[in-house]
Amino acid sequence: MKNAHDLVLEAKAQIHEVALEDAEAAIRAADLLLDVREADEFHAGHIPGAINIPRGVLEFKLSNDPALCARELNIVLYCKTSGRAALAACSLQAMGYRQVQSLAGGFDAWSAAGKAQVAANLPNFE
């Protein structure tokens, strides 16, 4: 029986992961930078220019938004460490998207490298 780790390894064998040192160029060239983490993770910090569509609703959101339906979109995905993004990239490829890349190491690697990030300024209700 497979576990989540097995599924991620299988997905990574079928997708293109962009190395951290090539990430900024890949993001500049992308039509769409997708953060597939949950909303609270995104609001805590994300890569500038990213759009948040959590992994659990990704296929539905892309299918229902005419601006995101074009299969020739150049898409870069990321999550916390790259597992969810790999699974998402595999799903998008199965949907017919032809230019999909996943950020190796995810947001954790991006952040550890000291690269630019944005955090939401949410009001404090305490």
Side-chain angles (χ1 to χ4, degrees):
M1 181 159 72
K2 295 179 185 178
N3 61 31
H5 182 72
D6 296 330
L7 295 174
V8 168
L9 287 176
E10 284 180 10
K12 286 187 176 195
Q14 299 174 41
I15 65 163
H16 178 261
E17 277 195 305
V18 62
L20 183 61
E21 57 268 11
D22 301 322
E24 290 174 305
I27 290 168
R28 279 192 304 276
D31 298 312
L32 187 59
L33 174 61
L34 287 178
D35 183 325
V36 298
R37 298 175 300 157
E38 296 300 315
D40 60 330
E41 294 174 287
F42 179 79
H43 290 299
H46 58 272
I47 298 174
I51 295 171
N52 180 229
I53 304 178
R55 168 73 193 100
V57 296
L58 180 64
E59 296 86 351
F60 300 102
K61 292 278 191 180
L62 291 179
S63 294
N64 292 317
D65 187 334
L68 302 176
C69 286
R71 297 311 196 250
E72 65 276 356
L73 284 173
N74 181 349
I75 302 172
V76 174
L77 302 133
Y78 71 93
C79 64
K80 180 175 172 45
T81 60
S82 74
R84 287 175 282 179
L87 294 170
C90 202
S91 290
L92 294 185
Q93 287 178 172
M95 290 175 72
Y97 289 91
R98 295 184 294 271
Q99 298 181 71
V100 180
Q101 300 178 82
S102 174
L103 175 59
F107 187 72
D108 282 359
W110 179 272
S111 183
K115 296 192 179 285
Q117 54 185 285
V118 177
N121 292 323
L122 300 176
N124 185 352
F125 295 108
E126 294 181 14

